[in-house]
Amino acid sequence: MSTRKPSDTYSPLYFLASVGAGGLTVTFFMWLMFWIPHPGKTVPVFEDIMAAFASGTPMTQAMIVTAVAGIAFFAFQNIKFLIWNLQRYSAWRKTDAFAAFAKTNAQSQMLALPLALAMAVNGGFIAGLVFVPGLWSIVEYLFPLAMVAFMAIGVLALKQYGGFLGRVLTEGGFNCAANNNFGQILPAFAFAMVGVGLSAPAAMSTSATVAGTSIAISTFFLMTSALIAVVAMFLGLRSMMENGANAETAPTLLIIVPLLTVLGILMLRQAHGFGVHFGIDEGAGATLALTSKLLATQVAILLFGGLVLVKQGYAGRFLFGSENSAGAYALVCPGVALSVMLQFFLNNGLVKAGIVDKFGIAFWTITALAIAAQVAMIWLVLLLNRRHFSASNGATPVPAE
Protein backbone atom coordinates (compact mmCIF):
# COMPACT_ATOMS: atom_id res chain seq x y z
CA MET A 1 0.00 0.00 0.00
CA SER A 2 1.39 3.43 -0.96
CA THR A 3 2.42 5.80 1.83
CA ARG A 4 2.53 8.78 -0.51
CA LYS A 5 0.19 11.61 0.47
CA PRO A 6 -1.55 13.99 -1.96
CA SER A 7 0.05 16.91 -0.08
CA ASP A 8 3.47 15.60 -1.14
CA THR A 9 2.68 17.30 -4.46
CA TYR A 10 2.77 20.86 -3.17
CA SER A 11 0.42 23.66 -4.22
CA PRO A 12 0.11 27.12 -2.61
CA LEU A 13 -3.61 26.39 -2.38
CA TYR A 14 -2.71 24.28 0.67
CA PHE A 15 -2.49 27.60 2.51
CA LEU A 16 -6.30 27.40 2.41
CA ALA A 17 -6.08 24.53 4.91
CA SER A 18 -4.70 27.08 7.38
CA VAL A 19 -7.24 29.73 6.34
CA GLY A 20 -10.15 27.31 6.77
CA ALA A 21 -9.05 26.35 10.27
CA GLY A 22 -8.70 30.02 11.17
CA GLY A 23 -12.19 30.68 9.86
CA LEU A 24 -13.61 27.95 12.07
CA THR A 25 -11.95 29.68 15.03
CA VAL A 26 -14.04 32.73 14.15
CA THR A 27 -17.27 30.69 13.99
CA PHE A 28 -16.78 29.54 17.59
CA PHE A 29 -15.94 33.07 18.69
CA MET A 30 -19.32 34.17 17.31
CA TRP A 31 -20.95 32.11 20.07
CA LEU A 32 -19.13 34.07 22.75
CA MET A 33 -19.54 37.40 20.99
CA PHE A 34 -23.30 37.22 20.63
CA TRP A 35 -24.39 34.94 23.47
CA ILE A 36 -22.60 36.25 26.57
CA PRO A 37 -22.58 39.80 28.02
CA HIS A 38 -19.51 41.98 27.49
CA PRO A 39 -20.54 45.42 28.79
CA GLY A 40 -18.41 48.36 27.72
CA LYS A 41 -16.56 46.40 25.07
CA THR A 42 -17.32 45.55 21.45
CA VAL A 43 -16.00 42.00 21.91
CA PRO A 44 -15.91 39.57 24.85
CA VAL A 45 -12.60 39.01 26.65
CA PHE A 46 -11.26 36.47 29.14
CA GLU A 47 -12.89 38.20 32.13
CA ASP A 48 -16.31 38.34 30.46
CA ILE A 49 -16.10 34.65 29.57
CA MET A 50 -15.12 33.65 33.10
CA ALA A 51 -17.90 35.78 34.62
CA ALA A 52 -20.49 34.27 32.28
CA PHE A 53 -19.25 30.77 33.11
CA ALA A 54 -19.39 31.39 36.86
CA SER A 55 -22.94 32.78 36.81
CA GLY A 56 -24.35 30.80 33.91
CA THR A 57 -26.68 27.84 33.72
CA PRO A 58 -25.30 24.39 32.90
CA MET A 59 -26.33 24.99 29.26
CA THR A 60 -24.40 28.26 29.16
CA GLN A 61 -21.38 26.63 30.75
CA ALA A 62 -21.49 23.79 28.23
CA MET A 63 -21.68 26.33 25.40
CA ILE A 64 -18.67 28.23 26.74
CA VAL A 65 -16.60 25.06 27.17
CA THR A 66 -17.46 23.97 23.63
CA ALA A 67 -16.67 27.38 22.15
CA VAL A 68 -13.37 27.74 24.00
CA ALA A 69 -12.34 24.18 23.09
CA GLY A 70 -13.25 24.83 19.43
CA ILE A 71 -11.24 28.05 19.38
CA ALA A 72 -8.21 26.34 20.95
CA PHE A 73 -8.32 23.35 18.59
CA PHE A 74 -8.76 25.25 15.36
CA ALA A 75 -6.33 28.02 16.36
CA PHE A 76 -3.75 25.26 16.80
CA GLN A 77 -4.69 23.77 13.42
CA ASN A 78 -4.46 27.23 11.85
CA ILE A 79 -0.88 27.71 13.04
CA LYS A 80 0.15 24.10 12.39
CA PHE A 81 -0.89 24.24 8.74
CA LEU A 82 0.58 27.71 8.34
CA ILE A 83 3.99 26.51 9.54
CA TRP A 84 3.79 23.40 7.34
CA ASN A 85 2.95 25.53 4.33
CA LEU A 86 5.71 28.06 4.97
CA GLN A 87 8.26 25.26 5.14
CA ARG A 88 7.00 23.55 1.98
CA TYR A 89 6.54 26.85 0.13
CA SER A 90 10.11 27.89 0.89
CA ALA A 91 11.48 24.63 -0.54
CA TRP A 92 9.08 24.65 -3.50
CA ARG A 93 10.22 28.13 -4.61
CA LYS A 94 13.66 26.67 -5.39
CA THR A 95 12.35 24.02 -7.79
CA ASP A 96 11.81 23.94 -11.55
CA ALA A 97 8.14 23.30 -10.85
CA PHE A 98 7.84 26.74 -9.25
CA ALA A 99 9.60 28.40 -12.18
CA ALA A 100 7.08 26.86 -14.57
CA PHE A 101 4.17 27.69 -12.22
CA ALA A 102 5.19 31.38 -12.10
CA LYS A 103 4.66 31.69 -15.87
CA THR A 104 1.02 30.58 -15.79
CA ASN A 105 -2.33 32.03 -14.73
CA ALA A 106 -1.87 30.19 -11.44
CA GLN A 107 0.91 32.57 -10.37
CA SER A 108 -1.76 34.62 -8.60
CA GLN A 109 -2.34 31.66 -6.28
CA MET A 110 0.77 32.79 -4.40
CA LEU A 111 -1.45 35.37 -2.71
CA ALA A 112 -2.79 32.48 -0.65
CA LEU A 113 0.36 33.14 1.44
CA PRO A 114 -0.54 36.68 2.61
CA LEU A 115 -4.16 35.52 2.91
CA ALA A 116 -3.08 32.82 5.37
CA LEU A 117 -0.76 35.19 7.24
CA ALA A 118 -3.53 37.76 7.69
CA MET A 119 -5.95 35.05 8.83
CA ALA A 120 -3.39 33.85 11.38
CA VAL A 121 -3.00 37.35 12.84
CA ASN A 122 -6.78 37.73 13.06
CA GLY A 123 -7.04 34.29 14.67
CA GLY A 124 -4.23 35.12 17.08
CA PHE A 125 -6.11 38.21 18.24
CA ILE A 126 -9.19 36.10 18.95
CA ALA A 127 -7.11 33.58 20.91
CA GLY A 128 -5.61 36.44 22.92
CA LEU A 129 -9.03 37.85 23.80
CA VAL A 130 -10.28 34.44 24.93
CA PHE A 131 -7.25 33.06 26.76
CA VAL A 132 -5.13 36.01 28.01
CA PRO A 133 -6.27 37.68 31.26
CA GLY A 134 -6.01 41.46 31.32
CA LEU A 135 -5.43 41.81 27.58
CA TRP A 136 -8.07 44.51 27.23
CA SER A 137 -6.13 46.77 29.60
CA ILE A 138 -3.24 47.01 27.13
CA VAL A 139 -5.20 46.62 23.90
CA GLU A 140 -4.66 50.25 22.89
CA TYR A 141 -0.93 49.56 22.76
CA LEU A 142 -1.50 46.46 20.66
CA PHE A 143 -3.57 48.15 17.96
CA PRO A 144 -0.66 50.08 16.39
CA LEU A 145 1.47 46.92 16.46
CA ALA A 146 -1.29 44.92 14.81
CA MET A 147 -1.70 47.59 12.14
CA VAL A 148 2.04 47.46 11.41
CA ALA A 149 1.84 43.66 11.08
CA PHE A 150 -1.12 43.86 8.70
CA MET A 151 0.57 46.59 6.68
CA ALA A 152 3.63 44.36 6.28
CA ILE A 153 1.39 41.55 5.04
CA GLY A 154 -0.37 44.02 2.76
CA VAL A 155 2.95 45.11 1.26
CA LEU A 156 3.80 41.44 0.60
CA ALA A 157 0.43 40.96 -1.11
CA LEU A 158 0.93 44.07 -3.24
CA LYS A 159 4.41 42.91 -4.22
CA GLN A 160 3.18 39.46 -5.21
CA TYR A 161 0.19 40.73 -7.13
CA GLY A 162 2.30 43.43 -8.74
CA GLY A 163 4.69 40.73 -9.94
CA PHE A 164 1.80 38.85 -11.51
CA LEU A 165 0.22 41.89 -13.16
CA GLY A 166 3.59 43.22 -14.24
CA ARG A 167 4.32 39.98 -16.06
CA VAL A 168 0.99 39.50 -17.82
CA LEU A 169 0.54 43.18 -18.74
CA THR A 170 4.03 43.63 -20.17
CA GLU A 171 4.90 40.16 -21.46
CA GLY A 172 1.40 38.82 -22.11
CA GLY A 173 0.86 35.11 -21.80
CA PHE A 174 -2.33 35.19 -19.75
CA ASN A 175 -4.35 32.19 -20.91
CA CYS A 176 -7.93 33.42 -21.16
CA ALA A 177 -9.22 29.98 -22.14
CA ALA A 178 -7.73 28.49 -18.96
CA ASN A 179 -9.30 31.27 -16.86
CA ASN A 180 -12.61 29.40 -16.80
CA ASN A 181 -13.00 29.75 -13.02
CA PHE A 182 -12.96 32.45 -10.35
CA GLY A 183 -9.41 31.67 -9.23
CA GLN A 184 -8.26 35.20 -10.08
CA ILE A 185 -10.52 36.50 -7.28
CA LEU A 186 -8.17 34.89 -4.71
CA PRO A 187 -5.95 38.02 -4.62
CA ALA A 188 -9.04 40.09 -3.79
CA PHE A 189 -9.72 37.74 -0.87
CA ALA A 190 -6.16 38.26 0.36
CA PHE A 191 -6.45 42.06 0.24
CA ALA A 192 -9.83 41.87 1.98
CA MET A 193 -8.37 39.77 4.81
CA VAL A 194 -5.62 42.36 5.31
CA GLY A 195 -8.23 45.11 5.23
CA VAL A 196 -10.51 43.51 7.82
CA GLY A 197 -7.56 43.15 10.18
CA LEU A 198 -6.65 46.80 9.68
CA SER A 199 -10.26 47.82 10.38
CA ALA A 200 -10.37 46.24 13.85
CA PRO A 201 -9.10 49.36 15.67
CA ALA A 202 -11.88 51.37 14.04
CA ALA A 203 -14.40 49.26 15.95
CA MET A 204 -12.46 48.81 19.20
CA SER A 205 -10.10 51.70 19.84
CA THR A 206 -11.04 54.61 22.08
CA SER A 207 -8.61 56.86 20.22
CA ALA A 208 -10.05 58.87 17.35
CA THR A 209 -6.59 59.09 15.79
CA VAL A 210 -6.10 55.33 15.81
CA ALA A 211 -9.65 54.70 14.61
CA GLY A 212 -9.33 57.28 11.83
CA THR A 213 -6.03 55.82 10.68
CA SER A 214 -7.60 52.36 10.74
CA ILE A 215 -10.53 53.53 8.60
CA ALA A 216 -8.30 55.29 6.08
CA ILE A 217 -5.83 52.45 5.53
CA SER A 218 -8.44 49.67 5.55
CA THR A 219 -10.44 51.59 2.94
CA PHE A 220 -7.52 51.29 0.52
CA PHE A 221 -7.56 47.51 0.86
CA LEU A 222 -11.37 47.46 0.69
CA MET A 223 -11.42 49.26 -2.65
CA THR A 224 -8.41 47.36 -4.02
CA SER A 225 -10.14 44.09 -3.19
CA ALA A 226 -13.43 45.19 -4.74
CA LEU A 227 -11.79 46.36 -7.98
CA ILE A 228 -9.84 43.13 -8.43
CA ALA A 229 -12.90 41.02 -7.66
CA VAL A 230 -15.15 42.78 -10.18
CA VAL A 231 -12.61 42.58 -13.01
CA ALA A 232 -11.69 38.97 -12.23
CA MET A 233 -15.33 37.91 -12.03
CA PHE A 234 -16.14 39.25 -15.50
CA LEU A 235 -12.99 37.74 -16.99
CA GLY A 236 -13.81 34.39 -15.43
CA LEU A 237 -17.44 34.45 -16.55
CA ARG A 238 -16.37 35.35 -20.09
CA SER A 239 -14.10 32.31 -20.25
CA MET A 240 -16.61 29.97 -18.60
CA MET A 241 -19.36 30.96 -21.00
CA GLU A 242 -17.07 30.00 -23.88
CA ASN A 243 -15.15 27.03 -22.47
CA GLY A 244 -17.22 25.73 -19.57
CA ALA A 245 -16.08 25.78 -15.95
CA ASN A 246 -12.86 23.96 -15.11
CA ALA A 247 -13.76 20.92 -13.01
CA GLU A 248 -10.68 20.95 -10.76
CA THR A 249 -11.02 24.64 -9.89
CA ALA A 250 -14.83 24.74 -9.71
CA PRO A 251 -14.79 25.48 -5.92
CA THR A 252 -13.41 28.95 -6.78
CA LEU A 253 -16.89 29.79 -8.08
CA LEU A 254 -17.85 30.16 -4.41
CA ILE A 255 -14.95 32.41 -3.39
CA ILE A 256 -17.17 35.48 -3.59
CA VAL A 257 -19.04 34.19 -0.52
CA PRO A 258 -16.12 34.53 1.95
CA LEU A 259 -15.00 37.70 0.18
CA LEU A 260 -18.37 39.32 0.91
CA THR A 261 -18.33 38.24 4.56
CA VAL A 262 -14.85 39.67 5.11
CA LEU A 263 -15.66 42.93 3.33
CA GLY A 264 -18.97 43.09 5.20
CA ILE A 265 -17.25 42.83 8.58
CA LEU A 266 -14.73 45.44 7.42
CA MET A 267 -17.55 47.86 6.57
CA LEU A 268 -19.37 47.15 9.84
CA ARG A 269 -16.20 47.88 11.79
CA GLN A 270 -15.68 51.10 9.90
CA ALA A 271 -19.32 52.12 10.46
CA HIS A 272 -18.88 51.60 14.20
CA GLY A 273 -15.79 53.79 14.20
CA PHE A 274 -17.57 56.50 12.22
CA GLY A 275 -20.44 56.45 14.72
CA VAL A 276 -18.34 56.50 17.90
CA HIS A 277 -15.65 58.95 16.86
CA PHE A 278 -16.97 61.06 14.00
CA GLY A 279 -20.72 61.38 14.58
CA ILE A 280 -21.82 59.40 11.53
CA ASP A 281 -24.17 56.82 13.02
CA GLU A 282 -26.34 55.12 10.40
CA GLY A 283 -28.25 53.02 12.96
CA ALA A 284 -29.65 49.50 13.04
CA GLY A 285 -31.60 49.94 9.80
CA ALA A 286 -28.44 50.57 7.78
CA THR A 287 -26.76 47.53 9.32
CA LEU A 288 -29.78 45.37 8.53
CA ALA A 289 -29.81 46.65 4.94
CA LEU A 290 -26.10 45.92 4.46
CA THR A 291 -26.15 42.44 5.98
CA SER A 292 -29.36 41.55 4.11
CA LYS A 293 -27.85 42.47 0.75
CA LEU A 294 -24.61 40.65 1.46
CA LEU A 295 -26.40 37.51 2.64
CA ALA A 296 -28.78 37.53 -0.34
CA THR A 297 -25.84 37.81 -2.73
CA GLN A 298 -24.07 34.96 -0.97
CA VAL A 299 -27.10 32.70 -1.28
CA ALA A 300 -27.31 33.49 -5.00
CA ILE A 301 -23.61 32.68 -5.48
CA LEU A 302 -23.97 29.43 -3.52
CA LEU A 303 -26.87 28.40 -5.77
CA PHE A 304 -24.88 29.26 -8.90
CA GLY A 305 -21.65 27.60 -7.79
CA GLY A 306 -23.45 24.65 -6.23
CA LEU A 307 -25.25 23.98 -9.50
CA VAL A 308 -21.94 23.78 -11.38
CA LEU A 309 -20.34 21.57 -8.72
CA VAL A 310 -23.27 19.16 -8.79
CA LYS A 311 -23.39 19.06 -12.60
CA GLN A 312 -19.67 18.24 -12.70
CA GLY A 313 -19.90 15.62 -9.95
CA TYR A 314 -17.18 17.39 -8.00
CA ALA A 315 -17.84 15.70 -4.65
CA GLY A 316 -17.82 12.24 -6.20
CA ARG A 317 -14.44 12.91 -7.76
CA PHE A 318 -12.50 15.05 -5.26
CA LEU A 319 -14.14 14.43 -1.87
CA PHE A 320 -15.11 10.77 -2.06
CA GLY A 321 -13.53 9.50 -5.27
CA SER A 322 -10.09 8.61 -6.54
CA GLU A 323 -8.88 12.15 -7.32
CA ASN A 324 -7.48 14.79 -4.99
CA SER A 325 -7.05 18.52 -5.54
CA ALA A 326 -5.69 21.10 -3.11
CA GLY A 327 -8.38 23.38 -4.52
CA ALA A 328 -10.97 21.37 -2.58
CA TYR A 329 -9.99 23.41 0.49
CA ALA A 330 -11.63 26.37 -1.26
CA LEU A 331 -14.96 24.74 -0.33
CA VAL A 332 -14.36 25.38 3.38
CA CYS A 333 -14.27 29.18 3.31
CA PRO A 334 -17.76 29.67 1.78
CA GLY A 335 -19.44 27.53 4.45
CA VAL A 336 -17.54 29.27 7.22
CA ALA A 337 -18.38 32.66 5.73
CA LEU A 338 -22.07 31.81 5.46
CA SER A 339 -22.15 30.79 9.13
CA VAL A 340 -20.48 34.03 10.22
CA MET A 341 -22.66 36.23 8.01
CA LEU A 342 -25.81 34.58 9.34
CA GLN A 343 -24.67 35.47 12.86
CA PHE A 344 -24.10 39.11 11.92
CA PHE A 345 -27.33 39.30 9.93
CA LEU A 346 -29.26 37.94 12.90
CA ASN A 347 -27.58 39.69 15.82
CA ASN A 348 -26.45 43.02 14.36
CA GLY A 349 -29.31 43.21 11.87
CA LEU A 350 -32.57 41.55 12.86
CA VAL A 351 -32.17 41.71 16.64
CA LYS A 352 -30.92 45.31 16.82
CA ALA A 353 -33.63 46.41 14.39
CA GLY A 354 -36.24 44.87 16.71
CA ILE A 355 -37.48 42.33 14.18
CA VAL A 356 -36.37 39.24 16.11
CA ASP A 357 -36.28 38.83 19.90
CA LYS A 358 -32.89 37.81 21.24
CA PHE A 359 -32.96 34.15 22.37
CA GLY A 360 -36.52 33.69 21.07
CA ILE A 361 -37.75 30.91 18.78
CA ALA A 362 -36.93 32.79 15.55
CA PHE A 363 -33.51 33.65 16.95
CA TRP A 364 -32.60 30.03 17.59
CA THR A 365 -34.07 28.91 14.28
CA ILE A 366 -31.73 31.20 12.32
CA THR A 367 -28.87 30.38 14.69
CA ALA A 368 -29.43 26.69 13.93
CA LEU A 369 -28.75 27.40 10.26
CA ALA A 370 -25.47 29.10 11.16
CA ILE A 371 -24.45 26.19 13.39
CA ALA A 372 -25.42 23.67 10.70
CA ALA A 373 -23.08 25.40 8.23
CA GLN A 374 -20.38 25.48 10.91
CA VAL A 375 -20.70 21.77 11.71
CA ALA A 376 -20.68 20.88 8.01
CA MET A 377 -17.42 22.77 7.54
CA ILE A 378 -15.85 21.08 10.56
CA TRP A 379 -16.70 17.73 8.97
CA LEU A 380 -15.32 18.89 5.61
CA VAL A 381 -12.05 20.10 7.13
CA LEU A 382 -11.50 16.81 8.94
CA LEU A 383 -12.33 14.90 5.73
CA LEU A 384 -9.93 16.93 3.61
CA ASN A 385 -7.15 16.77 6.19
CA ARG A 386 -7.44 13.00 6.27
CA ARG A 387 -7.45 12.73 2.47
CA HIS A 388 -4.57 15.10 1.85
CA PHE A 389 -2.28 14.67 4.83
CA SER A 390 -2.65 10.96 5.55
CA ALA A 391 -1.23 8.11 3.46
CA SER A 392 -3.31 7.89 0.30
CA ASN A 393 -4.99 4.87 -1.16
CA GLY A 394 -3.59 5.52 -4.57
CA ALA A 395 -5.68 8.62 -5.27
CA THR A 396 -4.19 10.88 -7.90
CA PRO A 397 -3.37 14.47 -6.92
CA VAL A 398 -4.59 16.99 -9.51
CA PRO A 399 -2.75 20.34 -9.70
CA ALA A 400 -5.05 23.33 -9.71
CA GLU A 401 -4.56 25.74 -12.59
Side-chain angles (χ1 to χ4, degrees):
M1 181 177 179
S2 172
T3 58
R4 181 173 173 79
K5 303 182 292 293
S7 57
D8 290 338
T9 303
Y10 185 70
S11 165
L13 291 180
Y14 277 120
F15 275 110
L16 297 180
S18 175
V19 175
L24 286 170
T25 301
V26 177
T27 63
F28 281 104
F29 187 69
M30 292 294 97
W31 297 11
L32 303 175
M33 181 169 176
F34 293 123
W35 299 351
I36 67 172
H38 43 93
K41 297 180 288 295
T42 54
V43 291
V45 298
F46 176 85
E47 289 76 13
D48 298 316
I49 298 167
M50 291 298 99
F53 185 85
S55 61
T57 64
M59 185 69 74
T60 298
Q61 292 176 336
M63 178 274 292
I64 291 173
V65 169
T66 303
V68 169
I71 290 169
F73 177 77
F74 285 107
F76 172 77
Q77 295 289 312
N78 172 225
I79 299 302
K80 182 183 78 171
F81 283 115
L82 177 61
I83 293 173
W84 179 88
N85 270 284
L86 290 173
Q87 292 172 338
R88 292 298 305 274
Y89 182 81
S90 178
W92 178 65
R93 281 182 60 89
K94 302 171 185 176
T95 66
D96 292 338
F98 172 79
F101 172 90
K103 296 178 181 179
T104 68
N105 293 8
Q107 182 186 2
S108 61
Q109 291 177 10
M110 289 193 291
L111 274 92
L113 167 58
L115 170 63
L117 291 174
M119 182 74 254
V121 176
N122 283 313
F125 188 68
I126 287 176
L129 292 174
V130 173
F131 296 109
V132 180
L135 184 69
W136 197 254
S137 64
I138 61 169
V139 74
E140 291 294 343
Y141 300 100
L142 298 179
F143 286 142
L145 296 176
M147 291 174 69
V148 169
F150 280 114
M151 279 299 298
I153 297 170
V155 169
L156 172 62
L158 288 168
K159 181 180 178 181
Q160 289 186 330
Y161 196 59
F164 170 70
L165 283 183
R167 178 181 65 81
V168 299
L169 294 180
T170 58
E171 302 175 11
F174 186 81
N175 189 339
C176 291
N179 188 43
N180 51 343
N181 54 63
F182 281 168
Q184 296 303 325
I185 298 180
L186 177 64
F189 192 15
F191 287 118
M193 191 64 73
V194 172
V196 78
L198 284 167
S199 69
M204 303 179 198
S205 179
T206 58
S207 167
T209 300
V210 172
T213 302
S214 167
I215 290 170
I217 300 175
S218 62
T219 297
F220 168 79
F221 287 95
L222 165 67
M223 298 311 298
T224 299
S225 173
L227 286 170
I228 293 171
V230 170
V231 173
M233 183 178 68
F234 282 112
L235 287 174
L237 279 172
R238 163 70 174 76
S239 181
M240 282 188 283
M241 295 296 286
E242 182 176 353
N243 305 291
N246 182 286
E248 288 78 16
T249 56
T252 63
L253 300 181
L254 305 178
I255 198 171
I256 297 174
V257 176
L259 177 66
L260 289 176
T261 290
V262 173
L263 291 180
I265 295 172
L266 191 163
M267 289 185 282
L268 289 173
R269 287 175 169 180
Q270 288 187 340
H272 184 86
F274 278 122
V276 171
H277 297 288
F278 307 109
I280 307 175
D281 190 356
E282 296 182 341
T287 301
L288 177 60
L290 174 62
T291 54
S292 298
K293 292 170 184 174
L294 292 174
L295 181 60
T297 305
Q298 288 177 319
V299 172
I301 294 296
L302 287 168
L303 291 173
F304 160 70
L307 172 66
V308 176
L309 288 166
V310 170
K311 288 284 188 180
Q312 292 183 333
Y314 186 89
R317 292 177 59 184
F318 297 101
L319 299 184
F320 308 109
S322 60
E323 298 175 85
N324 282 296
S325 171
Y329 276 99
L331 292 172
V332 177
C333 295
V336 167
L338 178 65
S339 177
V340 173
M341 181 52 68
L342 280 168
Q343 293 278 17
F344 275 98
F345 167 68
L346 171 61
N347 292 277
N348 283 12
L350 296 175
V351 172
K352 288 189 176 180
I355 298 173
V356 169
D357 293 331
K358 194 173 182 68
F359 302 137
I361 295 175
F363 179 92
W364 288 118
T365 300
I366 298 173
T367 297
L369 297 176
I371 294 176
Q374 179 183 5
V375 171
M377 292 307 100
I378 292 172
W379 169 84
L380 180 58
V381 162
L382 297 178
L383 171 70
L384 291 174
N385 289 349
R386 185 169 65 251
R387 284 181 65 92
H388 286 264
F389 293 92
S390 299
S392 73
N393 56 3
T396 304
V398 179
E401 296 179 358

